[in-house]
Amino acid sequence: MLRDVVEVRPLDGYRVFLKFDDGIQGELDLEPLLDPFDGVFEPLRDHARFREVFVDSGGTIAWPNGADIAPETLYALVSGRPLMPR
């Protein structure tokens, strides 16, 4: 079963606090996922832009410029569980 992000809070650097619809929560450093900061992720190199992160209607985290990260990737990293096939 795929899980939705229900809360995101930016922390220091490129870290975020994430909470999922099943109660799993934790902090995650997104810099390894965003590096090398090209394409749609390039503007997020600016910490002020990175801090604009929000939960979108699809249950994942996104930014106003259209960048987003799949919720199953985030869930696997926070929970330590393997990715679930769609």
Side-chain angles (χ1 to χ4, degrees):
M1 171 179 231
L2 295 177
R3 295 295 180 184
D4 289 339
V5 177
V6 295
E7 181 181 349
V8 62
R9 287 192 316 256
L11 304 171
D12 292 336
Y14 297 105
R15 296 184 65 78
V16 292
F17 167 84
L18 296 169
K19 183 175 180 181
F20 292 86
D21 61 357
D22 65 349
I24 294 289
Q25 61 187 12
E27 294 180 11
L28 187 59
D29 183 359
L30 296 179
E31 188 169 14
L33 295 178
L34 303 176
D35 194 40
F37 289 97
D38 60 2
V40 72
F41 293 109
E42 186 172 356
L44 305 183
R45 190 183 307 256
D46 176 348
H47 283 99
R49 297 288 302 274
F50 179 82
R51 295 183 65 76
E52 295 174 348
V53 65
F54 64 94
V55 177
D56 74 3
S57 61
T60 194
I61 63 172
W63 289 266
N65 72 335
D68 65 5
I69 301 174
E72 57 269 23
T73 299
L74 298 169
Y75 189 83
L77 292 169
V78 171
S79 70
R81 298 177 187 161
L83 288 174
M84 297 185 66
R86 284 192 170 245

